[in-house]
Amino acid sequence: MSRIAVVYWSGTGNTEAMAQQVAQGAKDAGAEVDVYTAAEFQDSKMDDYDAVAFGCPSMGSEQLEDSEFEPMFLGCESKLKDKKIALFGSYGWGDGEWMRNWEEQCASDGAVMVAESVICNDAPDDDAQAACAALGKALADS
C-alpha cells in the first residue's frame, strides 16, 4: 500500500477543497493518506511517504503563498530528487504561470511528476474535483 501526504495552503478554501479531493482519490485507490496544512509539514516528513501532493493557490503576481507555504516547500526541495509528487492549486487571475514555474522548479530538483498538475479558476467545479481525484489515484498507482 502506498503512503501519501497531501500538503496544502488555502486562503479561501478553494485549494483545501482540492486537497480533500486529491486525498479521497488516493484513498479510493487503496493508499494510506495523511493530509497536512503547510504549517503542519516539514522536510523531515518527506522520507515517511512514497509520494507527496503539494497544493498552493496563485498569490500576488502569480507566485506561491510566501509566508507559510513557500518556506515549507523550499525546505522540502532537497528531498525532491526522485520523489513522486503532484501539484495542484487554484487561481483568481492570470493564466497559470505560477504553476508552470513551480513545475519547472520541481523538474530541476529532480522530482518525478506522476500526473499533469491540476489548476482551477476560483472554486473547483465538478471537472476540477474529478481531476483532483484522478491526481490522487495517479499518486496511489505510481
Side-chain angles (χ1 to χ4, degrees), residues 13-15 17-18 21 90 120-129 132:
N14 295 337
T15 303
M18 296 175 80
Q21 288 297 316
S90 63
C120 69
N121 192 335
D122 295 322
D125 61 13
D126 290 344
D127 289 341
Q129 289 182 32
C132 287

Side-chain angles (χ1 to χ4, degrees), residues 21-22 24-26 29 86 114-116 118 127-141:
Q21 288 297 316
V22 171
Q24 191 60 54
V114 301
E116 186 174 326
V118 177
D127 289 341
Q129 289 182 32
C132 287
L135 190 70
K137 181 182 183 317
L139 278 174
D141 291 343

Side-chain angles (χ1 to χ4, degrees), residues 77-94:
E77 270 193 290
S78 66
K79 304 257 184 177
L80 290 180
K81 183 162 177 46
D82 299 325
K83 180 63 81 174
K84 296 172 187 171
I85 70 164
L87 304 176
F88 63 93
S90 63
Y91 65 100
W93 59 89

Side-chain angles (χ1 to χ4, degrees), residues 41-47 72 74-79:
F41 195 81
Q42 56 271 343
D43 64 323
S44 63
K45 293 184 179 185
M46 290 287 289
D47 294 334
M72 176 279 303
L74 292 175
C76 293
E77 270 193 290
S78 66
K79 304 257 184 177

Side-chain angles (χ1 to χ4, degrees), residues 13 35 38 68 71 97 114 119 132 140:
V35 179
E68 282 184 35
E97 178 184 5
V114 301
I119 63 173
C132 287

